[in-house]
Amino acid sequence: FAFLGVQLFDLERVEVLRGPQGTLYGKNTTGGAVNLISRAPVMRDEGYVQAGIGNYGRWESNGAANVVLGDKAAVRIAYTVARADGWFRNRLAGQPDLNGTREYGIRGTLLVEPADGVRLTLRLSTSRQNPTNYGSYSAPGADGVGAGAYEAYGDGTSYFRTGLGPREIEAEYTPRRRARTWSAA
C-alpha cells in the first residue's frame, strides 16, 4: 500500500456506491465511489484503545476518546501509530533492513449544536510516515528481460543474487520515504 498513506482508523462505516456517481462526486466517478466515513463526536463520553504486536518487531495501537463539552458540544480525538522493523533483510553492514514501518496519525473533531437542526463540525488532522525504503526481489529468467546481459557483465551465471535468499538484499541506497499531511475541514 505504497500510496495509501497512514492506515485508516476510527471509521464509522465504508460505503460502496454503484456507478455512475457523476452528479454527486464529479465526472471521474463513472465506475462508482467508495466513501470512508470516520466516526463523528456523539453526546456521550466514550472511548477505546486497541494494541497489537507482530513479527519483525511490529507494534501498533489505535484508539479514540469522545468527551461531552456541556449540553451543545462534544469533541472526539482519535489516533493510530505503528512501527515495525524491515522484513527485507539488508546484508550490507551498517545498512537498515528495508520495508520497515514508522507512522502515526491523529484527528480531532469538534461538534457544536447551537440550535435545533444546526450542526457545526470542525475536523483537524495530521499524519506522518517515515518508513525505510522498499526492497525488491528480482531474478532474470532464461528468456526474460536481461537474458544474456547478465552473463556478459556478471560472474558467468544468469543470476547475480548468489548467496541471497528471497527476502534478502544488498542495498546501499536505503533512504526513508517521508510523507507529512495536515488537513482542516
Side-chain angles (χ1 to χ4, degrees), residues 26-156:
K27 289 197 272 187
N28 294 328
T29 57
T30 56
V34 177
N35 290 334
L36 306 169
I37 313 297
S38 58
R39 290 186 183 158
V42 292
M43 293 300 181
R44 66 180 176 277
D45 293 337
E46 65 180 25
Y48 69 93
V49 173
Q50 297 174 333
I53 58 171
N55 57 351
Y56 301 101
R58 184 172 183 87
W59 62 268
E60 61 187 23
S61 179
N62 64 68
N66 193 97
V67 178
V68 176
L69 306 173
D71 294 340
K72 300 182 184 274
V75 66
R76 185 175 190 89
I77 298 177
Y79 78 95
T80 185
V81 62
R83 188 172 183 135
D85 300 331
W87 55 267
F88 215 103
R89 298 291 176 221
N90 195 344
R91 302 229 349 231
L92 291 183
Q95 296 294 333
D97 293 334
L98 302 181
N99 289 47
T101 300
R102 287 186 185 172
E103 64 185 28
Y104 74 84
I106 188 167
R107 177 176 54 242
T109 308
L110 173 66
L111 171 67
V112 178
E113 296 178 337
D116 288 342
V118 178
R119 293 178 59 111
L120 304 173
T121 304
L122 173 64
R123 180 169 289 137
L124 305 173
S125 66
T126 186
S127 70
R128 182 170 190 244
Q129 289 181 293
N130 191 23
T132 52
N133 207 14
Y134 300 111
S136 65
Y137 169 77
S138 56
D143 297 325
V145 175
Y150 291 95
E151 291 87 351
Y153 298 105
D155 58 1

Side-chain angles (χ1 to χ4, degrees), residues 10-43:
D10 199 38
L11 289 181
E12 179 180 316
R13 68 183 185 277
V14 176
E15 298 175 344
V16 180
L17 308 173
R18 270 186 2 177
Q21 290 292 327
T23 57
L24 296 176
Y25 298 103
K27 289 197 272 187
N28 294 328
T29 57
T30 56
V34 177
N35 290 334
L36 306 169
I37 313 297
S38 58
R39 290 186 183 158
V42 292
M43 293 300 181

